């Protein structure tokens, strides 16, 4: 599965079986706010959202940004993968 950043639409995205899953974001200063994760119903349970979350978090780490996990899925992903807790912006916990 190929995951890319669509800077024009401000989201990470992947297309599987002709359907697109996304993680929407807002970039501000040194932070990336992950605001919404959506995978089409037909693709649920295949690990697509988790793969996109890992991709987005690695991108944040590579760019030296801080994470603001406004999306509940992203917050739960970070909780399950504590190696990403170091990315959390000051004042945010999961």
């Amino acid at each position: 599965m190929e995951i890319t950043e669509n800077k024009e639409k401000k989201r990470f995205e992947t297309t599987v079986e002709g359907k697109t899953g996304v993680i929407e974001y807002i970039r501000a200063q040194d932070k990336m706010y992950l605001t919404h994760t959506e995978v089409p119903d037909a693709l649920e349970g295949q690990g697509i959202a988790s793969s996109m979350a890992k991709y987005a978090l690695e991108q944040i780490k590579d760019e030296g940004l801080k994470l603001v996990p406004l999306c509940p899925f992203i917050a739960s992903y970070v909780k399950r993968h504590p190696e990403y807790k170091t990315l959390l912006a000051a004042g945010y916990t999961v």
Side-chain angles (χ1 to χ4, degrees):
M1 150 182 13
E2 182 182 355
I3 301 166
T4 58
E5 181 180 0
N6 184 331
K7 290 183 178 182
E8 185 177 297
K9 292 186 177 181
K10 298 181 179 146
R11 67 188 195 181
F12 296 98
E13 58 189 23
T14 188
T15 301
V16 178
E17 299 172 9
K19 296 171 179 62
T20 302
V22 301
I23 295 177
E24 297 171 346
Y25 65 77
I26 298 167
R27 287 178 180 262
Q29 298 167 341
D30 65 340
K31 297 176 185 70
M32 185 178 289
Y33 297 73
L34 298 182
T35 60
H36 179 68
T37 302
E38 187 170 332
V39 174
D41 292 343
L43 301 177
E44 285 185 5
Q46 298 180 33
I48 293 168
S50 291
S51 293
M52 287 192 307
K54 181 178 180 179
Y55 182 92
L57 294 169
E58 288 294 325
Q59 181 83 14
I60 290 168
K61 182 167 75 173
D62 290 348
E63 290 186 34
L65 301 173
K66 288 297 185 179
L67 166 66
V68 180
L70 300 180
C71 168
F73 178 81
I74 297 297
S76 68
Y77 185 90
V78 173
K79 193 172 194 174
R80 291 189 316 271
H81 297 87
E83 65 271 24
Y84 292 113
K85 286 186 177 183
T86 59
L87 298 177
L88 290 170
Y92 288 90
T93 60
V94 293

